Structure formats: C-alpha cells, structure tokens
C-alpha cells in the first residue's frame, strides 16, 4: 500500500515568519572542543568505524587489503585500526584493535594486517600532527598509480591536492617491512596524500574525518583525470589560480564537514556501527 501524505492546508496558507534579525552566515558554528580524553577517544573510534562503512559504500573494500588508523589521544604512540578479515561494511567500534609501536595488539584479539602496521606506525611516528591515515586498494587510485606520476590540477575539486600529494615510486612488493613504511612516511612528509606507484593512494590528516574525506576526494581526482585523458588532452588550471584555490579549500575544515554530511546519514541507517 502506498503512503499518502497528509498536508495541512491551513498551515500552508499562513504568512511567512521571517527572522527579525537576518544575518549573513556562510559557514558552520565552531564545534565545542571535547573536554576529556575519553570523549575524544570515543569520537575518533566512532568516526573510524563510520569511515570504514563509508569506504565500503564507495567500493573501496578489496579482500583483505585496506586500513584506516586513528592515533589514540592518550597513548599517542598507539593507534586504532581495523582487524584483518572483517569487511569494511560490517565494522563496529567494538571491533577496532588498539596497537602499540611494536605492532603488539593491546586491545582486541583478532589478527592485525601486517602491512597496516608497517605503513601506519611509521606515518604516526614521523609526524605527530597526523591523527589518522587511510589506505585501500581503490580501483581508480590503483589505476592512476600505475602511471608513476603526480596528478595534474584539472578541476576546482582537485585544487585541494595542488602541490599537496607526494609520489612514492619505490614499490618493492607488499609492504611488510617497517623500512618501507619509513620510506613512505618520509615521502609523505607534511602533505595530505601520496600516490604509491603500482600500489594505490594514501591520505593522512589531523582528524579521522579529514583523512577519510581526502581519500574519497583523491580517488575521485584520479578517476576524473583518467576520464579526461581518455577523452582528449585536459587543460590544467594555471599555477597561480590553483595555488589560490588550494588556499581557499585545501584546509581540513571543509573535509570534516564533508565527511560529517555522509556520516550522519550512515549512523541513522546503520546505528549498530556504534556498538
């Protein structure tokens, strides 16, 4: 049986109630800071679990590959990460592992992806400003990585990454040795992303939300350039304009709110992720 909407005709005919003090408002109100380490930890865990499920929706889950990490706010040389073998679409907060700088799991009993430790431990150690990092074997990220070159700045959206993505062209096979993790971390430096030649893409940021959204956006930038080059000869944005646009949209605030716009609907549809 189809639902029938009930419309209050009288209410629809009422005059508009205008704001007596209209104002220009082009951005979000500041988010109150989380005042306890426990609240910050829970926030990171919930966004981390949500990021995995969003990645599944975007088609980024590929077998046992892929990992996102979040630095613990109290034990800052530890990070939270997904266990090996649970599909991104099913991960809950209670599934997350807490791993120390030696690769030892201190919370959780499922296996850890060895590549996740080799890559992410080095990234978190080398740059204390990085709270989260994301890497999966997404199709367009993998496809672009085989070209062994950086992306061009072709669109307004890709200006987010202008001069802000490194190229790591030293592929030696599956990353299980911490020395390769160190090389990736050095190549990444302070940039928000890296193209790992013949491997895929990686992003990092000052929040889980930023790292996750930038991964989604970087994969989209790879997809866009692959399409553009297949169609013809793309015309890049000039350096000055690209640099200026990066200064406007390249910060983490927009990434956080972009992630949140997806996260809110995800939690409404899949509240069990918070368990």
């Amino acid at each position: 049986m189809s639902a029938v909407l009930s419309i209050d005709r009288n209410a629809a005919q009422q005059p508009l109630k205008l704001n007596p003090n209209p104002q220009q408002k082009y951005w979000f109100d500041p988010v109150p800071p989380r005042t306890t380490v426990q609240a910050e930890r829970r926030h990171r865990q919930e966004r981390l679990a949500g990021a995995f499920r969003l990645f599944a929706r975007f088609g980024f889950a590929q077998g046992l590959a892929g990992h996102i990490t979040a630095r613990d706010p109290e034990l800052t040389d530890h990070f939270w990460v997904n266990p090996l073998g649970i599909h991104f679409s099913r991960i809950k907060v209670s599934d997350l592992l807490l791993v120390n700088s030696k690769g030892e799991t201190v919370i959780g009993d499922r296996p850890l992806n060895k590549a996740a430790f080799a890559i992410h431990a080095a990234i978190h150690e080398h740059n204390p400003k990085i709270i989260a990092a994301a890497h999966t074997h997404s199709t367009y990220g993998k496809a672009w990585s085989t070209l062994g070159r950086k992306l061009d700045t072709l669109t307004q959206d890709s200006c987010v990454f202008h001069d802000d993505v490194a190229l790591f062209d030293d592929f030696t096979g599956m990353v299980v040795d911490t020395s390769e993790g160190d090389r990736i971390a050095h190549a990444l430096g302070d940039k928000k992303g890296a193209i790992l030649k013949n491997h895929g893409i990686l992003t990092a940021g000052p929040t889980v939300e930023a790292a996750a959204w930038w991964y989604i956006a970087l994969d989209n930038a790879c997809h866009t350039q692959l399409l553009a080059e297949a169609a013809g000869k793309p015309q890049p944005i000039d350096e000055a304009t690209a640099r200026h646009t990066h200064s406007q949209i390249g910060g983490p605030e927009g990434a956080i709110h972009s992630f949140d716009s997806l996260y809110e609907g995800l939690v409404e549809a899949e509240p069990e992720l918070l368990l």
Side-chain angles (χ1 to χ4, degrees):
M1 179 182 295
S2 61
V4 178
L5 293 176
S6 176
I7 301 175
D8 187 340
R9 300 292 181 183
N10 292 327
Q13 295 173 7
Q14 295 298 314
L16 296 176
K17 294 182 179 180
L18 301 180
N19 187 339
N21 300 301
Q23 57 181 322
Q24 294 180 338
K25 185 175 182 180
Y26 298 129
W27 200 242
F28 305 91
D29 293 329
V31 177
R34 289 169 286 279
T35 56
T36 67
V37 70
Q38 293 81 6
E40 178 62 29
R41 176 182 292 123
R42 181 66 189 185
H43 177 87
R44 295 182 188 184
Q45 291 173 322
E46 290 179 354
R47 269 54 181 184
L48 185 58
F52 286 114
R53 294 198 177 207
L54 288 174
F55 276 24
R57 291 186 175 193
F58 277 92
F60 297 161
Q62 183 72 26
L64 300 180
H67 18 84
I68 315 172
T69 55
R71 188 190 300 273
D72 187 80
E74 181 180 15
L75 306 173
T76 56
D77 62 343
H78 292 51
F79 57 82
W80 297 91
V81 65
N82 54 307
L84 187 68
I86 298 183
H87 194 268
F88 285 3
S89 64
R90 298 177 57 240
I91 289 179
K92 305 185 297 292
V93 168
S94 58
D95 293 320
L96 300 173
L97 307 177
L98 182 62
V99 177
N100 66 20
S101 60
K102 299 177 182 178
E104 299 167 337
T105 300
V106 299
I107 292 180
D109 57 8
R110 294 183 68 93
L112 168 68
N113 186 320
K114 192 172 184 180
F117 173 72
I119 295 172
H120 291 259
I123 289 173
H124 286 292
E125 180 182 355
H126 281 273
N127 191 340
K129 293 184 292 184
I130 290 176
I131 298 301
H135 167 65
T136 78
H137 292 179
S138 61
T139 299
Y140 301 113
K142 281 191 299 186
W144 181 262
S145 76
T146 66
L147 303 180
R149 59 188 174 96
K150 295 182 180 180
L151 289 161
D152 297 324
T153 307
L154 299 182
T155 68
Q156 175 177 303
D157 290 341
S158 66
C159 288
V160 167
F161 302 106
H162 180 71
D163 197 28
D164 213 358
V165 175
L167 175 63
F168 179 76
D169 61 359
D170 188 21
F171 179 73
T172 58
M174 181 179 173
V175 183
V176 293
D177 192 310
T178 55
S179 64
E180 184 159 353
D182 288 336
R183 297 198 303 277
I184 291 173
H186 279 295
L188 177 66
D190 289 326
K191 297 185 184 298
K192 61 167 59 83
I195 296 165
L196 312 179
K197 184 181 176 183
N198 301 113
H199 188 170
I201 58 174
L202 178 148
T203 55
T207 65
V208 173
E209 299 95 318
W213 175 258
W214 283 334
Y215 191 95
I216 293 168
L218 184 56
D219 188 76
N220 179 265
C222 292
H223 189 183
T224 299
Q225 186 156 350
L226 288 166
L227 287 175
E229 292 192 354
K233 185 176 181 180
Q235 300 179 25
I237 298 170
D238 67 89
E239 171 66 24
T241 302
R243 188 169 58 251
H244 172 66
T245 308
H246 179 273
S247 72
Q248 295 175 308
I249 65 174
E253 297 84 3
I256 291 170
H257 292 296
S258 295
F259 177 90
D260 283 346
S261 70
L262 299 174
Y263 178 80
E264 290 172 1
L266 175 71
V267 172
E268 183 176 334
E270 303 177 27
E272 72 279 1
L273 77 88
L274 301 178
L275 297 177

